[in-house]
Amino acid sequence: MFVRTGYFTGDPALIDRALDGLRAEAVGLLSARPGYVGYGLFANRGLGVLTMGSWWATRQDERDSAEHLRRRRDELLAPFAGTAAVDVWEAAEVAQAAAVASGSWFRLARFDFAGADAERIAARFREDGLPAQRRLDGCLGGSMLLNAEDERGSVGILFADRAALDASRGPAAEIRARGVSAGGLTLRSLEEFETVLLDVRES
């Protein structure tokens, strides 16, 4: 699968308008396109950060949808989005939650890696990092996204609620440090977001 992500920042006072528009239209727009697999929308309202990802069965499906939907996405994000960054990734490993109730939270870690190590890094996450995360109380699943050409990746982990997210920070730090050390990764950022919308289809 391939994932197109967007990372947008702006005035916190304007973020709810953008979130409301995306919540109302995004799934309908995306799911009308061939190859749609899922969509997630996440926010840090206090900082004025909005991030989202749409999931596609093939790279061509992702490309076609991007061309078709770019203008409407930009309209929905105006006037909130003062900065915008859009990237495309390959889903190296995915463990999707069967069902996600409202109130879930999302932790996102971004890292750099040597592109030649992509398969090894994905295998280690699949065999060690993800199972360890899923043993944490309240963990609903997670994924690793990689862009071997740009040598960048991310790991996103979903938790049932804010309390589970908060309680997981210590154990998750241990898991993260072990993975960074063993994989020869450089951790670039660590963020936490409220889940605004999550739509998961059969892939």
Side-chain angles (χ1 to χ4, degrees):
M1 284 188 291
F2 291 81
V3 185
R4 182 173 62 253
T5 62
Y7 188 90
F8 307 92
T9 72
D11 183 345
L14 301 176
I15 194 171
D16 280 325
R17 175 178 168 181
L19 292 172
D20 288 345
L22 290 165
R23 191 161 34 203
E25 292 192 38
V27 171
L29 292 168
L30 293 163
S31 62
R33 303 299 303 171
Y36 171 76
V37 177
Y39 174 73
L41 176 63
F42 310 93
N44 182 322
R45 296 172 192 265
L47 278 180
V49 180
L50 179 162
T51 189
M52 57 185 171
S54 57
W55 294 65
W56 303 93
T58 70
R59 183 69 174 94
Q60 191 60 51
D61 292 331
E62 184 282 318
R63 286 193 186 102
D64 292 344
S65 71
E67 257 329 285
H68 187 78
L69 299 172
R70 181 180 294 113
R71 178 178 296 180
R72 186 56 185 151
R73 180 199 67 202
D74 292 346
E75 290 171 350
L76 289 168
L77 286 165
F80 163 71
T83 73
V86 177
D87 295 289
V88 178
W89 316 82
E90 186 165 3
E93 185 63 26
V94 184
Q96 296 172 332
V100 179
S102 60
S104 64
W105 282 70
F106 181 67
R107 178 177 294 127
L108 179 66
R110 302 179 191 270
F111 58 88
D112 296 343
F113 69 100
D117 291 339
E119 288 188 14
R120 179 178 63 83
I121 290 166
R124 182 163 189 89
F125 180 70
R126 180 168 55 250
E127 295 163 8
D128 179 38
L130 184 55
Q133 293 276 1
R134 298 197 77 182
R135 287 193 290 271
L136 300 177
D137 288 344
C139 179
L140 300 177
S143 62
M144 172 179 276
L145 309 182
L146 299 178
N147 184 321
E149 183 177 348
D150 291 343
E151 299 189 321
R152 296 180 296 124
S154 68
V155 168
I157 305 293
L158 193 68
F159 289 88
D161 52 36
R162 181 61 187 267
L165 179 89
D166 291 349
S168 74
R169 289 187 183 126
E174 259 186 67
I175 297 166
R176 186 166 55 249
R178 186 168 67 239
V180 165
S181 176
L185 314 178
T186 301
L187 187 69
R188 291 297 183 190
S189 68
L190 181 67
E191 298 180 87
E192 295 176 344
F193 298 93
E194 169 194 354
T195 303
V196 177
L197 173 65
L198 194 62
D199 180 58
V200 179
R201 307 292 174 94
E202 292 294 329
S203 57

